[in-house]
Structure formats: structure tokens, C-alpha cells
Amino acid sequence: MTLDRTVVEFPREECLPRLIEAQAARAPEDIAVICGDARISYRELNGRANRMARKLVSLGVGPDVPVGICVQRSVD
């Protein structure tokens, strides 16, 4: 087993959704998620995240409302 020893400083002043949006703008077709044989690009990840955000907002979820999820690991 090979360990990834890459060290990257995480920009703590930015939230994860903004970092994903920025990466989607820079390299939309780069692979963002791999799970088994399934792969999705940053463009697709950003689109899926935006759809989920719109759904949560439509259900009344706001910035300070915690949301729990329980799903099987997958690109979905």
C-alpha cells in the first residue's frame, strides 16, 4: 500500500464550498471524486452541491442550521 505524503496548506479562511467552486472554475473537467470505478469532475461536483443547497434552502435550512446525513459511500 502506498501512502500519499503530499502536504498542502489548507486555506482555513475559506469554506469548503467556495474552495470547490474555485477549483471548478480553474479546472472544471479535472476529477474531483473517485469511488470504485465511478468518477465525477469538479464541474459535476459543484453542480450536485448547488442542487443539494437549493433543495435544503427550499426546506427552510439556513446558514446556521445543522444538517445530518447518512448515506452509503459513493459519488452520489
Side-chain angles (χ1 to χ4, degrees), residues 7 13-15 32 41 51 60 70 72-74:
V7 176
E13 67 281 354
E14 283 293 341
C15 63
S41 68
R51 283 190 296 279
C70 179
Q72 294 292 323
R73 186 175 290 221
S74 74

mmCIF file with all atom_site columns, all heavy atoms in Angstrom, residues 7 13-15 32 41 51 60 70 72-74:
data_model
loop_
_atom_site.group_PDB
_atom_site.id
_atom_site.type_symbol
_atom_site.label_atom_id
_atom_site.label_alt_id
_atom_site.label_comp_id
_atom_site.label_asym_id
_atom_site.label_entity_id
_atom_site.label_seq_id
_atom_site.pdbx_PDB_ins_code
_atom_site.Cartn_x
_atom_site.Cartn_y
_atom_site.Cartn_z
_atom_site.occupancy
_atom_site.B_iso_or_equiv
_atom_site.pdbx_formal_charge
_atom_site.auth_seq_id
_atom_site.auth_comp_id
_atom_site.auth_asym_id
_atom_site.auth_atom_id
_atom_site.pdbx_PDB_model_num
ATOM 1  N N   . VAL A 1 7  ? 1.844   17.163 1.239   1.00 0.00 ? 7  VAL A N   1
ATOM 2  C CA  . VAL A 1 7  ? 1.435   18.119 2.266   1.00 0.00 ? 7  VAL A CA  1
ATOM 3  C C   . VAL A 1 7  ? 1.016   19.398 1.571   1.00 0.00 ? 7  VAL A C   1
ATOM 4  O O   . VAL A 1 7  ? 1.776   19.975 0.798   1.00 0.00 ? 7  VAL A O   1
ATOM 5  C CB  . VAL A 1 7  ? 2.589   18.405 3.252   1.00 0.00 ? 7  VAL A CB  1
ATOM 6  C CG1 . VAL A 1 7  ? 2.181   19.466 4.262   1.00 0.00 ? 7  VAL A CG1 1
ATOM 7  C CG2 . VAL A 1 7  ? 3.011   17.137 3.950   1.00 0.00 ? 7  VAL A CG2 1
ATOM 8  N N   . GLU A 1 13 ? -9.253  30.203 5.934   1.00 0.00 ? 13 GLU A N   1
ATOM 9  C CA  . GLU A 1 13 ? -10.145 31.359 5.883   1.00 0.00 ? 13 GLU A CA  1
ATOM 10 C C   . GLU A 1 13 ? -11.297 31.160 4.893   1.00 0.00 ? 13 GLU A C   1
ATOM 11 O O   . GLU A 1 13 ? -12.245 31.928 4.886   1.00 0.00 ? 13 GLU A O   1
ATOM 12 C CB  . GLU A 1 13 ? -9.373  32.640 5.549   1.00 0.00 ? 13 GLU A CB  1
ATOM 13 C CG  . GLU A 1 13 ? -8.782  32.692 4.148   1.00 0.00 ? 13 GLU A CG  1
ATOM 14 C CD  . GLU A 1 13 ? -7.480  31.908 3.973   1.00 0.00 ? 13 GLU A CD  1
ATOM 15 O OE1 . GLU A 1 13 ? -6.927  31.397 4.965   1.00 0.00 ? 13 GLU A OE1 1
ATOM 16 O OE2 . GLU A 1 13 ? -7.031  31.796 2.824   1.00 0.00 ? 13 GLU A OE2 1
ATOM 17 N N   . GLU A 1 14 ? -11.226 30.135 4.069   1.00 0.00 ? 14 GLU A N   1
ATOM 18 C CA  . GLU A 1 14 ? -12.275 29.850 3.095   1.00 0.00 ? 14 GLU A CA  1
ATOM 19 C C   . GLU A 1 14 ? -13.071 28.617 3.516   1.00 0.00 ? 14 GLU A C   1
ATOM 20 O O   . GLU A 1 14 ? -12.527 27.680 4.077   1.00 0.00 ? 14 GLU A O   1
ATOM 21 C CB  . GLU A 1 14 ? -11.685 29.601 1.707   1.00 0.00 ? 14 GLU A CB  1
ATOM 22 C CG  . GLU A 1 14 ? -11.263 30.838 0.981   1.00 0.00 ? 14 GLU A CG  1
ATOM 23 C CD  . GLU A 1 14 ? -12.420 31.741 0.604   1.00 0.00 ? 14 GLU A CD  1
ATOM 24 O OE1 . GLU A 1 14 ? -13.578 31.300 0.564   1.00 0.00 ? 14 GLU A OE1 1
ATOM 25 O OE2 . GLU A 1 14 ? -12.139 32.922 0.347   1.00 0.00 ? 14 GLU A OE2 1
ATOM 26 N N   . CYS A 1 15 ? -14.346 28.614 3.176   1.00 0.00 ? 15 CYS A N   1
ATOM 27 C CA  . CYS A 1 15 ? -15.172 27.444 3.451   1.00 0.00 ? 15 CYS A CA  1
ATOM 28 C C   . CYS A 1 15 ? -15.060 26.459 2.279   1.00 0.00 ? 15 CYS A C   1
ATOM 29 O O   . CYS A 1 15 ? -14.723 26.843 1.158   1.00 0.00 ? 15 CYS A O   1
ATOM 30 C CB  . CYS A 1 15 ? -16.620 27.847 3.709   1.00 0.00 ? 15 CYS A CB  1
ATOM 31 S SG  . CYS A 1 15 ? -17.421 28.636 2.315   1.00 0.00 ? 15 CYS A SG  1
ATOM 32 N N   . ALA A 1 32 ? -12.726 15.187 -9.446  1.00 0.00 ? 32 ALA A N   1
ATOM 33 C CA  . ALA A 1 32 ? -12.890 15.658 -8.068  1.00 0.00 ? 32 ALA A CA  1
ATOM 34 C C   . ALA A 1 32 ? -13.104 14.496 -7.111  1.00 0.00 ? 32 ALA A C   1
ATOM 35 O O   . ALA A 1 32 ? -12.622 14.526 -5.980  1.00 0.00 ? 32 ALA A O   1
ATOM 36 C CB  . ALA A 1 32 ? -14.074 16.612 -7.977  1.00 0.00 ? 32 ALA A CB  1
ATOM 37 N N   . SER A 1 41 ? -16.294 15.012 -12.213 1.00 0.00 ? 41 SER A N   1
ATOM 38 C CA  . SER A 1 41 ? -15.442 16.185 -12.349 1.00 0.00 ? 41 SER A CA  1
ATOM 39 C C   . SER A 1 41 ? -15.812 17.240 -11.308 1.00 0.00 ? 41 SER A C   1
ATOM 40 O O   . SER A 1 41 ? -16.854 17.160 -10.648 1.00 0.00 ? 41 SER A O   1
ATOM 41 C CB  . SER A 1 41 ? -15.615 16.788 -13.748 1.00 0.00 ? 41 SER A CB  1
ATOM 42 O OG  . SER A 1 41 ? -16.925 17.334 -13.867 1.00 0.00 ? 41 SER A OG  1
ATOM 43 N N   . ARG A 1 51 ? -27.290 21.907 -6.389  1.00 0.00 ? 51 ARG A N   1
ATOM 44 C CA  . ARG A 1 51 ? -28.653 21.348 -6.369  1.00 0.00 ? 51 ARG A CA  1
ATOM 45 C C   . ARG A 1 51 ? -29.066 20.965 -4.947  1.00 0.00 ? 51 ARG A C   1
ATOM 46 O O   . ARG A 1 51 ? -30.193 21.229 -4.522  1.00 0.00 ? 51 ARG A O   1
ATOM 47 C CB  . ARG A 1 51 ? -28.753 20.144 -7.302  1.00 0.00 ? 51 ARG A CB  1
ATOM 48 C CG  . ARG A 1 51 ? -28.838 20.532 -8.774  1.00 0.00 ? 51 ARG A CG  1
ATOM 49 C CD  . ARG A 1 51 ? -29.183 19.367 -9.674  1.00 0.00 ? 51 ARG A CD  1
ATOM 50 N NE  . ARG A 1 51 ? -28.178 18.315 -9.694  1.00 0.00 ? 51 ARG A NE  1
ATOM 51 C CZ  . ARG A 1 51 ? -27.062 18.344 -10.408 1.00 0.00 ? 51 ARG A CZ  1
ATOM 52 N NH1 . ARG A 1 51 ? -26.782 19.387 -11.159 1.00 0.00 ? 51 ARG A NH1 1
ATOM 53 N NH2 . ARG A 1 51 ? -26.226 17.327 -10.381 1.00 0.00 ? 51 ARG A NH2 1
ATOM 54 N N   . GLY A 1 60 ? -36.166 25.133 4.137   1.00 0.00 ? 60 GLY A N   1
ATOM 55 C CA  . GLY A 1 60 ? -36.039 26.046 5.262   1.00 0.00 ? 60 GLY A CA  1
ATOM 56 C C   . GLY A 1 60 ? -34.704 26.027 5.969   1.00 0.00 ? 60 GLY A C   1
ATOM 57 O O   . GLY A 1 60 ? -34.538 26.667 7.002   1.00 0.00 ? 60 GLY A O   1
ATOM 58 N N   . CYS A 1 70 ? -26.881 10.591 6.301   1.00 0.00 ? 70 CYS A N   1
ATOM 59 C CA  . CYS A 1 70 ? -26.459 9.205  6.465   1.00 0.00 ? 70 CYS A CA  1
ATOM 60 C C   . CYS A 1 70 ? -26.650 8.532  5.109   1.00 0.00 ? 70 CYS A C   1
ATOM 61 O O   . CYS A 1 70 ? -27.785 8.308  4.689   1.00 0.00 ? 70 CYS A O   1
ATOM 62 C CB  . CYS A 1 70 ? -27.290 8.513  7.542   1.00 0.00 ? 70 CYS A CB  1
ATOM 63 S SG  . CYS A 1 70 ? -26.817 6.788  7.772   1.00 0.00 ? 70 CYS A SG  1
ATOM 64 N N   . GLN A 1 72 ? -24.700 5.824  1.912   1.00 0.00 ? 72 GLN A N   1
ATOM 65 C CA  . GLN A 1 72 ? -23.646 4.899  1.528   1.00 0.00 ? 72 GLN A CA  1
ATOM 66 C C   . GLN A 1 72 ? -22.568 5.680  0.794   1.00 0.00 ? 72 GLN A C   1
ATOM 67 O O   . GLN A 1 72 ? -22.857 6.641  0.069   1.00 0.00 ? 72 GLN A O   1
ATOM 68 C CB  . GLN A 1 72 ? -24.191 3.805  0.613   1.00 0.00 ? 72 GLN A CB  1
ATOM 69 C CG  . GLN A 1 72 ? -25.194 2.877  1.280   1.00 0.00 ? 72 GLN A CG  1
ATOM 70 C CD  . GLN A 1 72 ? -24.535 2.024  2.344   1.00 0.00 ? 72 GLN A CD  1
ATOM 71 O OE1 . GLN A 1 72 ? -23.396 1.575  2.200   1.00 0.00 ? 72 GLN A OE1 1
ATOM 72 N NE2 . GLN A 1 72 ? -25.242 1.808  3.439   1.00 0.00 ? 72 GLN A NE2 1
ATOM 73 N N   . ARG A 1 73 ? -21.317 5.275  0.920   1.00 0.00 ? 73 ARG A N   1
ATOM 74 C CA  . ARG A 1 73 ? -20.225 5.939  0.230   1.00 0.00 ? 73 ARG A CA  1
ATOM 75 C C   . ARG A 1 73 ? -20.370 5.698  -1.267  1.00 0.00 ? 73 ARG A C   1
ATOM 76 O O   . ARG A 1 73 ? -20.474 4.572  -1.737  1.00 0.00 ? 73 ARG A O   1
ATOM 77 C CB  . ARG A 1 73 ? -18.902 5.367  0.714   1.00 0.00 ? 73 ARG A CB  1
ATOM 78 C CG  . ARG A 1 73 ? -17.702 6.100  0.154   1.00 0.00 ? 73 ARG A CG  1
ATOM 79 C CD  . ARG A 1 73 ? -16.456 5.562  0.756   1.00 0.00 ? 73 ARG A CD  1
ATOM 80 N NE  . ARG A 1 73 ? -16.422 5.960  2.163   1.00 0.00 ? 73 ARG A NE  1
ATOM 81 C CZ  . ARG A 1 73 ? -15.331 6.375  2.772   1.00 0.00 ? 73 ARG A CZ  1
ATOM 82 N NH1 . ARG A 1 73 ? -14.195 6.441  2.130   1.00 0.00 ? 73 ARG A NH1 1
ATOM 83 N NH2 . ARG A 1 73 ? -15.376 6.714  4.032   1.00 0.00 ? 73 ARG A NH2 1
ATOM 84 N N   . SER A 1 74 ? -20.398 6.789  -2.028  1.00 0.00 ? 74 SER A N   1
ATOM 85 C CA  . SER A 1 74 ? -20.480 6.737  -3.485  1.00 0.00 ? 74 SER A CA  1
ATOM 86 C C   . SER A 1 74 ? -20.253 8.139  -4.028  1.00 0.00 ? 74 SER A C   1
ATOM 87 O O   . SER A 1 74 ? -20.156 9.084  -3.256  1.00 0.00 ? 74 SER A O   1
ATOM 88 C CB  . SER A 1 74 ? -21.872 6.229  -3.939  1.00 0.00 ? 74 SER A CB  1
ATOM 89 O OG  . SER A 1 74 ? -22.839 7.229  -3.763  1.00 0.00 ? 74 SER A OG  1
#
